[in-house]
Amino acid sequence: MSVETSQYSRSSNQKRVAAATLIGTTIEWYDFFIYATMAGLVFAQLFFEPAGPSIGLLISFASVGISFLFRPLGAFLAGHYGDKLGRRFILMVTLIGMGVATTLIGLLPTYETLGIVAPILLLVLRIVQGISAGGEWGGAVLMAVEHAPAKRRGLAGCVPQLGVPLGMLMATGITALMTGVIAPGDAFLEWGWRVPFLLSIVLIVVGYVVRIAVDESPVFQEMAEKKEQAKVPIVDLFRRYWYLVIIAAFIFSGNNAVGYMSTGGFLPAYATTDTIGFDRTEILVAMSFASAIWFLSTLASGPLSDKIGRRRTYIIGYIWLIPSVFLLFILINTGSLAMVYLALLLVCIGTGLTYGPQAALYSELFPASVRFSGVSISYALGAVIGGAFAPTIAQALLDATGSSMAISIYLCVMVLLGLVAVLLVRDRKGIDMSIKNEEEQATGMTVFEPARTVTASDSHGDPSGADQHRQHTGV
């Protein structure tokens, strides 16, 4: 095979990988966000009505958070088998698991029909969604980043990240179509809410066809050929890198708390209360706008991190979010729809800047043999710390204080935790990620550890990686 043919083949495969990870994560997060959206709009009435409007809404938001508690289980399982059996296998399992659970939610009888069994079944299916989501992210980002050239890992890694705002855009867009056009008013409560869940079965078929055609990650192929998979990757991870998992989890927690507040189920419920007074459909359209801004800022932050580093991009994003989380509710409380759009614009710029570089940052932090376990578990734990009960905490703070300022202070604390955590890690942009370079990968991840000086010979024939990785010697 000629050099030109080989390069074309690699480029073609990278495009297939990008398409597969983007489509797959979009479908997964569409399923996930549909639940969060409906939790804020109708589940309190349909499944938790006996608890009353206020407590029912709290329970509904708590059901969103319950799935986060099971994300670490999904991450543990996916990490273990992903480091042993491959990234692609796990991606197929998580896609099917999420899709089946989402479709079944659309078929569930409500409390009025089935009594207490209805909310129990709803929670069980939400748990399945959480397990699937916990395993999805790590496999998708590693497929993208491990296939990519060293100079473009930030861009490649932000592609599966784009599936989250795209999934949100689809979820809010379809829900707005149902509430405003197809099934407005009582029809939405009677049957219209089911349609977005049932659409998942069609999306799963599309995702499966796209993902089945993608090659396995080259790093895992190398590990399999050399038979260098760790026997129990999770044990190795926590024995040697437990502190890195904790730091990485907090890096994500700030982004996740703000993300689920600004694009999750809380804001639609808050903005449509009698106190604020917005119409349900117009807020869903505003949330679709927020998802589009989140998408664009995430897309921009990936290549930006290839230029200035993952760490610097994160720092810019978190500093941007500090004033934004205070302006969020100040602007919404004006009752002006234009101010709602401005509030969401400001928050979603910062959310994208602290989300796009995450795939590359995580992938470059962890050694190859425990990488799937490391990125998956860190992501899942960060989601538990940050977003799991953010809507529930926000509602409780609002009920207790009567003021949205308490929510802004809570979000600011989460942002500051994320900023401190990212200041504790080194930027390892361009490091050789193959299994043969694991000795170097296992050193200098945080500012507390000495960093190795990297030469061209350390890059194992990847000059682009060597040039960029000289940053690894500094903070």
Side-chain angles (χ1 to χ4, degrees):
M1 183 182 293
S2 68
V3 173
E4 290 81 2
T5 303
S6 176
Q7 289 175 341
Y8 175 80
S9 177
R10 285 197 299 271
S11 175
S12 177
N13 186 56
Q14 287 162 15
K15 290 176 182 177
R16 289 200 307 273
V17 170
T21 55
L22 177 59
I23 291 171
T25 52
T26 300
I27 293 169
E28 288 261 0
W29 290 102
Y30 164 82
D31 291 350
F32 207 78
F33 279 125
I34 276 292
Y35 187 101
T37 303
M38 296 304 175
L41 296 178
V42 299
F43 281 173
Q45 298 166 266
L46 296 175
F47 291 94
F48 308 109
E49 186 176 12
S54 181
I55 301 300
L57 189 58
L58 272 175
I59 297 172
S60 186
F61 283 142
S63 74
V64 176
I66 283 174
S67 71
F68 285 80
L69 298 181
F70 286 85
R71 278 202 201 181
L73 174 59
F76 272 79
L77 293 172
H80 175 76
Y81 290 105
D83 282 328
K84 290 180 70 67
L85 302 178
R87 286 57 164 133
R88 194 179 76 156
F89 170 76
I90 295 300
L91 288 178
M92 304 306 295
V93 172
T94 57
L95 181 72
I96 293 170
M98 178 70 87
V100 170
T102 305
T103 303
L104 290 176
I105 290 174
L107 297 172
L108 273 184
T110 63
Y111 185 91
E112 184 180 7
T113 304
L114 208 57
I116 192 64
V117 177
I120 291 173
L121 290 176
L122 179 69
L123 295 179
V124 168
L125 292 173
R126 182 58 175 171
I127 288 169
V128 175
Q129 282 191 322
I131 293 172
S132 300
E136 160 71 19
W137 187 82
V141 301
L142 289 186
M143 284 290 285
V145 175
E146 290 180 345
H147 271 285
K151 288 183 177 180
R152 292 199 293 273
R153 286 183 193 146
L155 174 60
C158 83
V159 171
Q161 301 289 77
L162 295 174
V164 182
L166 275 180
M168 182 66 192
L169 182 62
M170 286 176 58
T172 54
I174 290 174
T175 306
L177 183 66
M178 296 304 299
T179 61
V181 180
I182 299 174
D186 292 340
F188 182 73
L189 200 62
E190 290 171 6
W191 61 269
W193 69 271
R194 297 181 183 276
V195 175
F197 288 98
L198 296 176
L199 284 175
S200 179
I201 195 67
V202 178
L203 299 175
I204 292 304
V205 174
V206 174
Y208 182 88
V209 170
V210 172
R211 281 192 168 176
I212 199 68
V214 175
D215 294 339
E216 179 56 89
S217 156
V219 172
F220 180 80
Q221 288 178 2
E222 184 183 28
M223 289 164 58
E225 288 169 5
K226 295 184 176 182
K227 301 187 184 302
E228 293 191 22
Q229 302 102 309
K231 291 183 179 179
V232 189
I234 292 173
V235 173
D236 287 354
L237 175 70
F238 281 100
R239 181 171 57 86
R240 301 177 61 189
Y241 309 111
W242 60 269
Y243 62 94
L244 190 61
V245 171
I246 294 171
I247 293 172
F250 274 102
I251 290 174
F252 181 41
S253 65
N255 167 278
N256 201 239
V258 177
Y260 271 89
M261 192 60 54
S262 59
T263 56
F266 179 79
L267 275 188
Y270 175 80
T272 54
T273 59
D274 292 338
T275 305
I276 307 300
F278 287 108
D279 176 73
R280 179 187 291 168
T281 301
E282 64 186 5
I283 286 300
L284 286 170
V285 173
M287 301 305 291
S288 297
F289 165 81
S291 302
I293 298 301
W294 187 12
F295 174 90
L296 292 172
S297 59
T298 299
L299 179 61
S301 67
L304 178 65
S305 77
D306 283 329
K307 292 184 179 295
I308 69 172
R310 329 299 182 204
R311 191 170 177 270
R312 288 177 182 171
T313 306
Y314 258 102
I315 291 169
I316 293 169
Y318 273 137
I319 291 174
W320 178 280
L321 280 174
I322 292 170
S324 298
V325 296
F326 288 98
L327 289 170
L328 176 65
F329 289 99
I330 291 173
L331 293 172
I332 290 174
N333 291 342
T334 64
S336 164
L337 190 59
M339 292 298 100
V340 171
Y341 277 82
L342 176 59
L344 293 173
L345 171 69
L346 293 173
V347 167
C348 288
I349 288 174
T351 306
L353 287 171
T354 53
Y355 195 58
Q358 184 175 6
L361 176 75
Y362 272 27
S363 299
E364 291 168 334
L365 276 181
F366 290 96
S369 62
V370 296
R371 187 172 293 139
F372 200 137
S373 299
V375 300
S376 297
I377 293 170
S378 298
Y379 185 87
L381 291 178
V384 171
I385 297 168
F389 295 104
T392 310
I393 293 169
Q395 188 64 44
L397 288 171
L398 186 63
D399 291 343
T401 66
S403 170
S404 57
M405 180 58 67
I407 304 174
S408 294
I409 293 171
Y410 157 66
L411 293 178
C412 185
V413 169
M414 296 305 300
V415 167
L416 289 173
L417 287 173
L419 177 60
V420 170
V422 83
L423 290 171
L424 298 180
V425 298
R426 293 186 188 277
D427 201 317
R428 311 218 302 173
K429 182 166 70 78
I431 188 173
D432 180 354
M433 292 172 58
S434 69
I435 189 68
K436 60 191 173 185
N437 192 46
E438 185 149 21
E439 180 182 351
E440 182 187 341
Q441 295 163 14
T443 62
M445 294 90 87
T446 71
V447 296
F448 304 112
E449 304 164 276
R452 285 184 55 185
T453 301
V454 181
T455 64
S457 61
D458 290 326
S459 69
H460 300 284
D462 182 1
S464 63
D467 290 343
Q468 293 182 54
H469 187 211
R470 288 194 180 94
Q471 296 179 61
H472 183 211
T473 60
V475 176

